[in-house]
């Protein structure tokens, strides 16, 4: 059973079919693309863990994943625990990791680097605590992904608008306020895989952001391998292993966001027991010598997983998220002759004439480019100056 129906599920469906599995997709949107490729679809909200559990028992499923679908992770963990199926972590751990306020509280209690942070359900309580934070702050839902509902606030007088936006994107009506951390260099993340609680694989990446976008906190590209020093990478690995020990991680894939800050410290921002969005695991099948999708699906259905080790890279790869800075109707995407890399894969999700929205979250992406470069400098130059070679035409 795969929770959700977005296109990120397609490679997991393909791998499951190669294993001889019958694939069931579940969500409340029957027109989602993944349902066209699964063997069965059921219209059940993935936020309703009891309803999904009842369906899973009725169908006698052998495995469950919320692959790259953040809202379904807690439900998947719950169903797996109730039915004795393989999962990356316990239901209790998933609840901590998937709630940003609970996660910050856990990090604080266990001596990790963490900004001042506090969760709320209403603006009135939040505004009583303005002196607790070191301004500016970030306001965001505790339970959303794809940077939806995230706002930087420099002045307490602007809190109301930011809180209203975060609540619009929240599933449970909770939001978090935390200090805005000044990063050193690019923000970073990882697709990380644990085997029996031991951290074996870390595909560390760096993120670029489109500062002109409606939401400048939505990543517009990820690139591998990271340019962070080996010393920093070792520190991140150590923190992730300590976190895994404390929360009793099992076997499975985690999407991690972390940040090296101006104070010289590494901060774990998010650690979610699922594949990352933006097709991260897919490009890693091009970029490295570990098939992490095969590994994750094998784990979920109880098959023997392939050997997992730190990735060896085959070049400098990046995902570029195609998006528009304005609303309009999609015309086409042009890649000019001045482009200095190789287009490995081009994915367009919209049709000519379709309405597109400004880039306020990952759900507003037009598509993706998988790009390959000979050097990190070529890649950085292309990403910084992409308007010189990339034209996204909106009418």
């Amino acid at each position: 059973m795969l929770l959700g129906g977005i296109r990120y599920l397609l490679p997991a469906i393909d791998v499951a079919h190669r294993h001889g599995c019958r694939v069931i997709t579940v969500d409340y949107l029957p027109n989602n693309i993944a349902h066209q490729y699964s063997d069965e679809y059921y219209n059940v909200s993935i936020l309703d863990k009891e309803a999904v559990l009842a369906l899973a028992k009725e169908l006698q499923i052998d495995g469950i994943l919320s692959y790259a679908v953040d809202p379904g992770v807690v439900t998947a963990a719950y169903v797996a625990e109730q039915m004795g199926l393989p999962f990356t972590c316990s239901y209790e751990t998933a609840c901590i990791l998937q709630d940003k306020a609970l996660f910050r509280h856990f990090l604080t209690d266990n001596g990790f680097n963490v900004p001042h942070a506090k969760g709320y359900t209403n603006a009135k309580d939040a505004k009583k605590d303005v002196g607790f934070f070191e301004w500016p702050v970030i306001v965001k839902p505790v339970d959303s992904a794809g940077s939806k509902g995230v706002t930087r606030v420099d002045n307490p007088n602007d809190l109301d608008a930011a809180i209203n936006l975060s609540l619009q994107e929240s599933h449970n009506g909770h939001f978090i306020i935390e200090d805005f951390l000044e990063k050193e260099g690019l923000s970073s993340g990882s697709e990380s895989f644990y085997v029996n609680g031991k951290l074996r694989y870390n595909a560390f990446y760096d993120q670029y952001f489109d500062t002109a976008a409606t939401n400048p906190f939505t990543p517009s590209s990820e690139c591998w391998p990271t340019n962070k020093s080996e010393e920093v990478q070792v520190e991140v690995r150590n923190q992730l292993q300590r976190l895994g020990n404390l929360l009793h991680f099992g076997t499975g894939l985690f999407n991690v966001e972390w940040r090296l800050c101006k104070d010289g410290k590494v901060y774990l921002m998010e650690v979610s027991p699922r594949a990352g969005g933006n097709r991260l695991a897919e490009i890693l099948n091009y970029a490295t010598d570990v098939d992490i999708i095969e590994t994750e699906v094998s784990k979920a259905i109880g098959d023997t997983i392939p050997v997992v080790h730190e990735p060896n890279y085959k070049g400098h790869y990046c995902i570029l998220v195609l998006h528009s800075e304005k609303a309009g109707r999609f015309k086409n995407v042009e890649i000019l002759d001045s482009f200095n890399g190789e287009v490995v894969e081009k994915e367009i999700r919209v049709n000519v004439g379709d309405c597109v929205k400004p880039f306020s979250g990952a759900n507003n992406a037009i598509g993706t480019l998988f790009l390959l470069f000979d050097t990190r400098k070529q890649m950085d130059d292309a990403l910084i100056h992409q308007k010189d070679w990339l034209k996204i035409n909106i009418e």
Side-chain angles (χ1 to χ4, degrees), residues 337-342 372-374 377-379 381-382 389:
D337 292 340
S338 54
F339 177 59
N340 65 353
E342 175 187 342
L372 170 62
F373 299 87
D374 292 330
K377 184 179 186 306
Q378 285 181 335
M379 180 164 60
D381 287 346
W389 59 269

Side-chain angles (χ1 to χ4, degrees), residues 273-334:
R274 60 173 175 84
N278 282 354
R279 307 179 66 205
L280 302 189
E282 291 180 66
I283 195 172
L284 289 170
N285 279 357
Y286 288 106
T288 79
D289 57 349
V290 177
D291 187 333
I292 208 65
I293 304 174
E294 172 75 26
T295 306
E296 176 71 345
V297 172
S298 296
K299 176 267 303 189
I301 60 178
D303 281 0
T304 301
I305 66 170
V307 175
V308 182
H309 55 77
E310 290 291 354
N312 297 302
Y313 292 94
K314 303 173 185 177
H316 295 269
Y317 283 80
C318 83
I319 294 172
L320 183 60
V321 180
L322 300 171
H323 62 275
S324 175
E325 294 174 2
K326 64 178 182 179
R329 294 191 178 275
F330 176 73
K331 183 179 180 183
N332 61 11
V333 173
E334 293 182 81

Side-chain angles (χ1 to χ4, degrees), residues 118-137:
K118 201 168 179 180
Y120 303 93
T121 59
N122 61 81
K124 182 179 178 180
D125 289 341
K127 288 191 284 190
K128 292 177 183 177
D129 286 339
V130 294
F132 173 71
F133 302 100
E134 296 181 6
W135 294 75
V137 299

Side-chain angles (χ1 to χ4, degrees), residues 174-206:
H174 295 190
F175 64 94
I176 186 174
I177 301 177
E178 63 185 21
D179 295 349
F180 179 78
L181 297 175
E182 292 288 347
K183 63 187 178 183
E184 182 66 44
L186 299 171
S187 294
S188 301
S190 177
E191 295 291 272
S192 294
F193 201 95
Y194 292 74
V195 179
N196 296 324
K198 301 298 182 183
L199 186 60
R200 299 297 189 196
Y201 171 98
N202 296 280
F204 291 128
Y205 58 82
D206 298 322

Side-chain angles (χ1 to χ4, degrees), residues 65 86-90 194 248-254 273-274 296 299:
L65 280 176
F87 200 71
T88 312
C89 62
S90 70
Y194 292 74
H248 308 293
F249 289 176
T251 296
L253 183 61
F254 286 80
R274 60 173 175 84
E296 176 71 345
K299 176 267 303 189

